[in-house]
Amino acid sequence: MPLSSIEHKALASLDEQGLIKALRDLVRIPSATGQEAAAQNWLAQQMRHFGLDVDLWDIDVAELQRHPQFPGMEVDRSKDRAVGLVATWRREAGAASGRRLVFNGHIDVVPEGDRASWQYEPWGADLVDGRIYGRGACDMKGGLMAALFAIKAIKDSSVPIDGSLMVQSVIGEEDGGIGTFASLLRGHRGNAAIVCEPTRLNLIPAQAGALTFTVRVPGKSAHACVRLEGVSAIEKYLDIHRTLIQLERERNSEVEHPLLGKLPLPYPLSIGRVQAGNWSSSVPEELIFEGRIGVAMGEASDAVRRQFERTLLNLAEEDPWLRDHPQEIKWSGGQFESGEIPLHHPLVKLCQQCMVDLTSHEPVLQGAPYGSDLRLLVNFGGIPAVLFGPGDVRVAHMPDEHTESSQVILAARAYILAALRFL
Amino acid sequence: MPLSSIEHKALASLDEQGLIKALRDLVRIPSATGQEAAAQNWLAQQMRHFGLDVDLWDIDVAELQRHPQFPGMEVDRSKDRAVGLVATWRREAGAASGRRLVFNGHIDVVPEGDRASWQYEPWGADLVDGRIYGRGACDMKGGLMAALFAIKAIKDSSVPIDGSLMVQSVIGEEDGGIGTFASLLRGHRGNAAIVCEPTRLNLIPAQAGALTFTVRVPGKSAHACVRLEGVSAIEKYLDIHRTLIQLERERNSEVEHPLLGKLPLPYPLSIGRVQAGNWSSSVPEELIFEGRIGVAMGEASDAVRRQFERTLLNLAEEDPWLRDHPQEIKWSGGQFESGEIPLHHPLVKLCQQCMVDLTSHEPVLQGAPYGSDLRLLVNFGGIPAVLFGPGDVRVAHMPDEHTESSQVILAARAYILAALRFL
């Protein structure tokens, strides 16, 4: 449908250059998960400068951890403040009426990894051929900044709106979702939420979950020269790995979900870390492995945990050593439930229509095999939410992560339309 | 055969209490491989005090490393001096005639490991129920000190002897044999050598070798949620591990050596360390594993290295990923050749007879599945050598390592007899 004059006016108020500059400034502030305070403080200043109502607070991590639905955490948060940041805006300050649309974006990024693999500076925010390079440029400072500038554009345009807009700049998404969890507990809610994750501005109303585990496999030390007198934790792991691959196969054999079922492997079980032994000539008496198991749509996380544990227990029943020396399973780190809203939810249709009106192309509906804050908003917050943002998730977490500035601007335009039409 | 009056006189001169006290003093000086300087300096003082001719020198590690037959090294030697120590004694100072018997003992010990696994102090040298507890008590400060006190007894007894006696207190045996290598290069040689390793005073004239390797297995990183787009270095390792176990089986299928062939697994191939990945939710792009492969009697170390490399190469030929992304194999750390002297070598018979005369029991002839400095003395130094010392190798490298003081004293007595009869 054609854009209204109000929509045209708001779109025209978007400060595109300011958006790209602010995004590059934000990318230059390292904010690996657990070290987001500097970036949050800087962003809070921007928000105040734009005239938004800013709530910047210290998150009591210890208190959150006692919550029965705590979403998990992997990093050490003893070294840096855990800072919550939410900005709200409404046309008439103080008026509490009307609906609210929430934009949710995480400010934490994964570490830059091996610097030598980068052609660009991980914290340099180089703008080359229309692409902004840097850790977090795609995942997801681009989407976060697009949302902030969308609100600013609506505000600056002076178009009349009812209700309010909110942007949640959250920490700790990568390792569980502590920031969104804290924001919801603090009462920062709305009638719907757009999670500005990189989807290439396609729409993801369904995301699988992912549960992080750490397993200790016991062995028995011996000098390598008499290795038969020991029990190699590595050899025990070989059987465990095979068993887990089999479990993954079973869990992915008949996935009927209309979006997740299209993926080659909707619910991966992946081992990310293995560490065993401390000397080349000793039989290793311990192996630790860490990984994640996908949670299917509609499946309870607890059921997945029990199945995983039972699978390892069944294996141990057939292995005299493991039967007498149990593996220790911890559900460490991020515990991402799966989450979804109906494919034809009004929020999905709204965002789709905004993209059609802006680009004449219909965005694709997709399912995500990864966890995100969507499930916290939907399951814990009771707020319909969809992933919808600029950038390609394929370059997230990678060297030379980047986003296209044109897509960031298009995202801001889509958010402006979505906000005006939602309220 | 009955002991001679000279032998009786020398045996009577053994300072048994002094031996046990000195051994406990030495155990109390931590001397993990790479940090032996304090123990060497202390022992040199003892040797001088006993009136021996002491050579205490700084080993030029960098120069040794350039030697084509460098025996390998694993520890970092940049933090502590590498000290050589050899004491020699002859009845008439300056006389160069006669034969020489060498006692060789390493003063370096493996780290104490997990302190919580110890009931006794690792560096406490507690004497309980006739056992001395502590790291190195068995492997092999007991044998080293027994040798020193055997020479002292002969000296103190004033019995006439021709030729000379030498004790080499060597560093870095556990990680390759740099100390014995340096001693031989410095010209400290003899006509035969007793390596005072813990054999329960049995005789080991043949020792398998052991070559330490480090292999890097490349993978391809991807987020766990799209793990099929990556290549897990862990999964590549599973195949490699299986292949190596198969190689071990082949290499141990028909061992005909009269001593090594009696062992359940003469030439173990053991993986001691595995490390892969740095995040639970990433497909690991690299796995490093370290281990050791046994070298058979009469087998060239180079042939073993080539076979190991060829085995991994053959596996890679059948795996498209590994074919294009080669594993990197390093022969890191200790490179212990195998080594032996004939079972009926006069040195073996001599030591056997000494034990029979002292205990009325014939010691057993054994083969060792582990590397030792024997092979350096035999192969590199051209000096017939046998492992023959107090203590049980089964408690070496373990928590609550210990040795029986009575066996240390018996070893010193056997060394006295062997020395008198050899010269």
Side-chain angles (χ1 to χ4, degrees), chain A residues 88-99:
Chain A
T88 319
W89 176 77
R90 58 174 53 85
R91 179 64 68 203
E92 294 168 29
S97 67
R99 307 217 298 164

Side-chain angles (χ1 to χ4, degrees), chain A residues 148-265:
Chain A
L148 179 59
F149 272 74
I151 297 176
K152 179 176 185 292
I154 294 172
K155 176 175 178 291
D156 292 349
S157 70
S158 302
V159 299
I161 70 162
D162 196 16
S164 63
L165 297 170
M166 171 182 282
V167 58
Q168 302 178 340
S169 172
V170 299
I171 65 170
E173 190 274 347
E174 294 289 355
D175 71 337
I178 188 176
T180 294
F181 191 67
S183 298
L184 291 171
L185 282 176
R186 200 170 165 89
H188 292 303
R189 292 158 178 273
N191 302 93
I194 291 174
V195 182
C196 310
E197 287 275 0
T199 65
R200 295 180 56 87
L201 291 172
N202 290 309
L203 287 156
I204 299 184
Q207 52 123 102
L211 308 173
T212 306
F213 51 78
T214 302
V215 182
R216 177 183 175 277
V217 182
K220 182 185 167 195
S221 185
H223 193 285
C225 75
V226 287
R227 78 169 188 86
L228 297 183
E229 296 180 11
V231 175
S232 167
I234 297 172
E235 298 204 1
K236 292 299 154 192
Y237 173 73
L238 299 189
D239 291 339
I240 293 168
H241 191 102
R242 270 190 292 271
T243 302
L244 292 180
I245 291 297
Q246 177 60 27
L247 174 62
E248 182 197 54
R249 194 172 300 130
E250 290 165 15
R251 288 179 51 76
N252 285 275
S253 61
E254 285 178 20
V255 177
E256 288 177 353
H257 189 277
L259 296 181
L260 274 298
K262 290 181 186 166
L263 299 176
L265 187 64

Side-chain angles (χ1 to χ4, degrees), chain A residues 74 212 223 227 229 234-235 238 241-242 245 248 271-277 279-280 282 284 394 397, chain B residues 74 212 223 227 229 234-235 238 241-242 245 248 268 271-277 279-280 282 284 394 397:
Chain A
E74 295 178 9
T212 306
H223 193 285
R227 78 169 188 86
E229 296 180 11
I234 297 172
E235 298 204 1
L238 299 189
H241 191 102
R242 270 190 292 271
I245 291 297
E248 182 197 54
I271 308 298
R273 287 192 65 216
V274 168
Q275 186 150 20
W279 191 43
S280 53
S282 282
R394 296 280 187 251
H397 299 203
Chain B
E74 295 178 10
T212 306
H223 192 285
R227 78 169 189 85
E229 296 180 10
I234 296 172
E235 298 204 1
L238 298 189
H241 191 101
R242 271 190 291 272
I245 291 297
E248 182 197 55
I271 309 298
R273 286 192 64 214
V274 168
Q275 186 151 19
W279 192 42
S280 53
S282 282
R394 296 278 187 252
H397 299 202

Side-chain angles (χ1 to χ4, degrees), chain B residues 355-404:
Chain B
M355 286 304 289
V356 169
D357 293 347
L358 287 172
T359 68
S360 306
H361 287 94
E362 182 139 351
V364 180
L365 277 191
Q366 297 175 329
Y370 47 85
S372 80
D373 278 348
L374 179 147
R375 101 289 188 186
L376 289 175
L377 293 159
V378 172
N379 302 352
F380 182 65
I383 303 166
V386 66
L387 303 192
F388 177 49
D392 189 335
V393 73
R394 296 278 187 252
V395 303
H397 299 202
M398 302 293 276
D400 291 332
E401 175 179 344
H402 59 269
T403 192
E404 292 180 11

